[in-house]
Amino acid sequence: MQALVKQRYGSSVSEPEPAVDARRIAAEARNRVRFEEEALEFADQVYRVARRLVGSREEAEDLVQETYARAFRSWRSYTPGTNMRAWLFRILTNLNVDRGRRVQRTPPMQPLEESDYYLANKLASSAGEEALEQEQVVERLSQDSIVHALAEIQPQFRDVVVLVDIGDFSYADAAEILDIPMGTVMSRLHRGRRALKQRLAEETLA
Amino acid sequence: MTLDPCERCEELLQEFLDRTLTDAEWREAESHLAGCDYCRRRYRFEETLRRYVKLSAVERMPPGLMSKLEELRGLDAMA
């Protein structure tokens, strides 16, 4: 059967090289355009996360552009059908580390409060249990204080909080992106969220 | 040492909100929350806080960035 097929379609097998090349090049160009379009659909999300990983809007813009430049340059290393969002964010977080952010100023971590309910308890004891209701939360914690508190968390903890709580990544995706075990994602997330609440308590109830 | 039920609930709450608990843990947290006003308030607070953190942290892409990204298309390591 194999031999028969070969015989029947023999002419296409021995097709002159340039035609095969042209088809391959056209197919590759189509794949590349599809890749670029798919990648650009995530631009909003990439920016949103980048903005919270670095200090300023300008730095975030630079980081997003670097991420896309590298992604477009190495599009061949992406395997179609796999998680492109995680692939892009892995580039982003690696670039962010390369930018030397790790050695930038990081405020010393306060010793962590024992309780996950720390902020809730503080608000409740200063303003009563009603302070825990939705409208009161929004009233008492300003948007600025949240952004500020987030920026103050140590980067290794912030990365995880930003990916999971702002970027909507699963623990598994965050582990893949940051190249750390899932257990580490969970413990950093835990610490990061506590640190955030502690900062908020300090800012709000100071 | 065993935790008191509210401490146990606190321990489970973040993963409860993440929806990553096992079925047994989920039921444990849910049944405690159903009967405990203190923990239910904390649950609502943590849920609201998460939503609000997300809302506060999200910043729209600056105008012009998308076209800068479009301009990067066609970069190729092999070219």
Side-chain angles (χ1 to χ4, degrees), chain A residues 60-70, chain B residues 65 68-69 72:
Chain A
E61 271 201 67
D62 286 349
L63 182 56
V64 173
Q65 290 183 70
E66 282 173 44
T67 300
Y68 274 91
R70 183 174 289 188
Chain B
L65 179 56
K68 286 182 197 160
L69 299 181
L72 295 172

Side-chain angles (χ1 to χ4, degrees), chain A residues 4-187:
Chain A
L4 189 69
V5 171
K6 255 197 193 139
Q7 214 176 16
R8 284 184 78 175
Y9 296 98
S11 62
S12 78
V13 172
S14 61
E15 193 168 18
E17 279 297 311
V20 176
D21 256 14
R23 270 215 301 273
R24 188 181 54 76
I25 290 167
E28 216 186 40
R30 274 195 306 276
N31 289 341
R32 181 220 203 110
V33 166
R34 202 176 305 141
F35 165 87
E36 288 171 344
E37 274 161 12
E38 203 185 324
L40 284 171
E41 283 171 21
F42 296 109
D44 246 329
Q45 294 177 50
V46 172
Y47 178 77
R48 181 191 307 173
V49 167
R51 181 66 191 90
R52 291 301 153 227
L53 294 180
V54 301
S56 71
R57 189 172 301 175
E58 291 70 31
E59 281 175 90
E61 271 201 67
D62 286 349
L63 182 56
V64 173
Q65 290 183 70
E66 282 173 44
T67 300
Y68 274 91
R70 183 174 289 188
F72 290 160
R73 216 177 280 125
S74 48
W75 70 278
R76 284 188 179 84
S77 68
Y78 170 72
T79 314
T82 59
N83 189 342
M84 183 185 280
R85 194 164 159 257
W87 186 83
L88 274 175
F89 278 85
R90 185 145 186 189
I91 296 177
L92 174 97
T93 51
N94 284 339
L95 282 171
N96 194 32
V97 173
D98 293 348
R99 287 165 71 92
R101 176 214 54 174
R102 301 275 170 202
V103 293
Q104 277 173 25
R105 47 113 217 161
T106 53
M109 189 94 156
Q110 307 286 326
L112 273 184
E113 287 304 321
E114 279 308 301
S115 172
D116 259 342
Y117 293 158
Y118 180 70
L119 178 60
N121 290 341
K122 282 272 178 190
L123 283 174
S125 67
S126 83
E129 289 282 324
E130 315 78 64
L132 307 184
E133 299 303 329
Q134 195 161 334
E135 316 76 56
Q136 293 259 327
V137 170
V138 175
E139 209 170 282
R140 298 184 67 87
L141 307 173
S142 72
Q143 247 176 296
D144 280 355
S145 69
I146 288 177
V147 167
H148 192 233
L150 207 49
E152 298 263 289
I153 306 174
Q154 275 194 338
Q156 69 188 102
F157 301 108
R158 182 173 60 225
D159 285 353
V160 183
V161 174
V162 169
L163 286 175
V164 175
D165 286 347
I166 292 158
D168 282 328
F169 280 104
S170 64
Y171 297 171
D173 280 348
E176 189 191 326
I177 291 166
L178 298 170
D179 201 18
I180 53 178
M182 206 153 96
T184 310
V185 167
M186 290 164 74
S187 64

Side-chain angles (χ1 to χ4, degrees), chain B residues 2-48:
Chain B
T2 52
L3 295 172
D4 88 45
C6 294
E7 281 173 347
R8 174 66 178 151
C9 187
E10 180 175 344
E11 198 179 75
L12 296 176
L13 192 76
Q14 297 300 320
E15 281 203 63
F16 184 80
L17 287 165
D18 286 340
R19 303 181 186 284
T20 51
L21 290 177
T22 63
D23 288 351
E25 288 169 331
W26 176 273
R27 279 193 300 273
E28 187 186 347
E30 214 175 27
S31 80
H32 178 76
L33 285 169
C36 176
D37 191 48
Y38 171 85
C39 285
R40 210 165 39 243
R41 279 174 185 272
R42 265 110 200 113
Y43 161 77
R44 281 204 301 268
F45 174 79
E46 297 296 327
E47 193 192 31
T48 305

